[in-house]
Amino acid sequence: FMLSLAFAACKKGDTGPAGEDGVDGINGINGNANVAQYSFGALNLQTLSFGQLQVSTTKDTMENSTWLVYILYQPLDRWYFLPGPGVGGATVYRVSMGHLSGKVNLYIDKTGPGENYSKAKVVRIYNSNSFAGGRVASQGSDGLPRVDITNYEAVRRYYNLPK
């Protein structure tokens, strides 16, 4: 029901160890040890009063991570970012979370009739730094542009996540 993918820390262009023949190994894949993607099956928010997605992790990781939630409306092949309106705008969703028994429970509440979604994905970004009273910048400290978190495909490409 749930698939968890974590990526090893590799810098772009890292080279693997030398092989037995003395030739350097192949370049490692781009990745980020602080990002994980969790995939879920169908979520019928039309018949449920609320949706629930669970991820096994510690309370510390829950509290020190950014959690992004997306739902796929397959007839249009379109991902919707939560919180926000669903397909057609008739339903507005919000997300809350809590930690219990070694799991983060992400609750999807709705105002409106709800719709039937074919997939859900959660992207967890472990925050290596936290600042009090900060402001949103147009680019990160690494000089790279900020990613549009409301767009699943942009997040997937930015963090090199599988489809």
Side-chain angles (χ1 to χ4, degrees), residues 98-126:
H99 191 270
L100 183 65
S101 302
K103 293 183 187 333
V104 172
N105 295 290
L106 296 149
Y107 301 100
I108 301 170
D109 296 307
K110 66 180 183 178
T111 302
E115 299 84 25
N116 190 7
Y117 293 90
S118 58
K119 292 181 188 177
K121 291 198 184 264
V122 173
V123 176
R124 180 197 42 83
I125 306 165
Y126 190 80

Side-chain angles (χ1 to χ4, degrees), residues 1-4 37-44 48 51-56 103-106 108 117-122:
F1 177 71
M2 179 173 51
L3 171 69
S4 171
Q37 175 174 285
Y38 306 90
S39 296
F40 300 86
L43 189 59
N44 190 340
L48 298 172
Q52 181 178 357
L53 307 172
Q54 291 186 327
V55 176
S56 295
K103 293 183 187 333
V104 172
N105 295 290
L106 296 149
I108 301 170
Y117 293 90
S118 58
K119 292 181 188 177
K121 291 198 184 264
V122 173

Side-chain angles (χ1 to χ4, degrees), residues 3-10 29-38 55 57 61 64-68 70 121-128 142 147 149 152 154-162:
L3 171 69
S4 171
L5 301 171
F7 296 92
C10 291
I29 62 166
N30 291 333
N32 187 323
N34 295 331
V35 179
Q37 175 174 285
Y38 306 90
V55 176
T57 193
T61 296
N64 290 294
S65 296
T66 299
W67 298 86
L68 307 175
Y70 303 91
K121 291 198 184 264
V122 173
V123 176
R124 180 197 42 83
I125 306 165
Y126 190 80
N127 305 318
S128 54
D142 56 6
V147 63
I149 63 168
Y152 170 70
V155 170
R156 186 189 65 74
R157 285 189 303 272
Y158 185 82
Y159 288 108
N160 196 29
L161 299 171

Side-chain angles (χ1 to χ4, degrees), residues 68-81:
L68 307 175
V69 180
Y70 303 91
I71 50 179
L72 177 68
Y73 187 72
Q74 190 56 54
L76 297 177
D77 196 30
R78 189 172 296 164
W79 288 97
Y80 289 85
F81 173 70

